[in-house]
Amino acid sequence: WLALTDFGGSVCLLDPASGEMRTLGHHKVQAVSAVFSPDGHYLFTGGWENELICWDMNGLQKSFSIPRNSYTMQFRSDGKECVLDDETSWQVFTFERPLPRRMFAEQLGGNVHHVAFSPQGRWLAAVGLNQLGVWDLNSSAPPAVTAEGADLRLVFSSQNDLYGCRDLGCNGWQILESSNHDNPPTLQKLALPQPTGFVSICANGSNGLVLSSKQGSTLFAPGHRQDQWVPTGSGLTSSSPDGQWMAIYPPYSKIV
């Protein structure tokens, strides 16, 4: 983006490749300065009302205002400090980035109740009432979304495949990275057994997945017989990181 300010108080972004223009917002009076943080994640604009505005370039929205009797800011080259000019002096500030560095504005249908990170932290998955969304945390691209994943309980395998379950069964997806970092990833459906009375699914270390149903539990892994069911309790499952232990929690019970 290029940042543009004008005497009408507007702050606009211009895509120099396509010529696309969009308005971020407005100052109270004339907008007269603009500077990006060195990493490009934030834009600061100043107006003749002697106020600076910080804009979040990931969410393309206003973050906060700086009423410091200044409309000019400069960054140190590493982005860790900045200075404000108030006409009589320069004021030096550290630039503290918030811990949550990204806002996810996509609507998944409300009641977003379950999220999961892939083992290496590359992928983030979240579900709402209407959709499943999967974000690539190494890029600012929009998420892959699918209605098939709505309202599921999520789990990643050690191979970064994503699985979701509910009482009626389970779904699985392989996540394919886009060759263009501006485009969302692709979700490729995986074939999974659908046992009668399915209840829950959990990752089992590096061995695969454990599927649980009213008839017991089975290990779903390469080279393992899928008809080997072991009698277990019925409920939500979780496995230890080394794959040695599994816990089962019957819903609304006080016993694990």
Side-chain angles (χ1 to χ4, degrees), residues 108 110-115 125-133 135 149-154:
L108 302 179
N111 195 21
V112 178
H113 62 279
H114 202 164
V115 299
V127 294
L129 290 179
N130 297 337
Q131 293 189 109
L132 160 71
W135 289 262
D151 205 24
L152 298 180
R153 296 187 296 271
L154 301 176

Side-chain angles (χ1 to χ4, degrees), residues 13-83:
L13 296 175
L14 171 67
D15 184 337
S18 66
E20 175 192 356
M21 181 93 74
R22 64 181 299 163
T23 300
L24 272 180
H26 298 82
H27 278 266
K28 299 172 185 175
V29 293
Q30 295 92 329
V32 293
S33 70
V35 60
F36 285 101
S37 60
D39 59 11
H41 291 168
Y42 298 94
L43 169 67
F44 288 82
T45 59
W48 277 351
E49 75 274 29
N50 280 332
E51 185 173 89
L52 288 147
I53 297 177
C54 173
W55 308 90
D56 181 354
M57 295 303 296
N58 291 321
L60 296 180
Q61 58 187 352
K62 180 179 177 179
S63 289
F64 57 88
S65 298
I66 309 174
R68 300 291 298 188
N69 195 32
S70 176
Y71 55 84
T72 304
M73 171 182 279
Q74 292 187 26
F75 272 97
R76 202 169 74 183
S77 60
D78 61 6
K80 294 182 178 180
E81 289 188 343
C82 60
V83 293

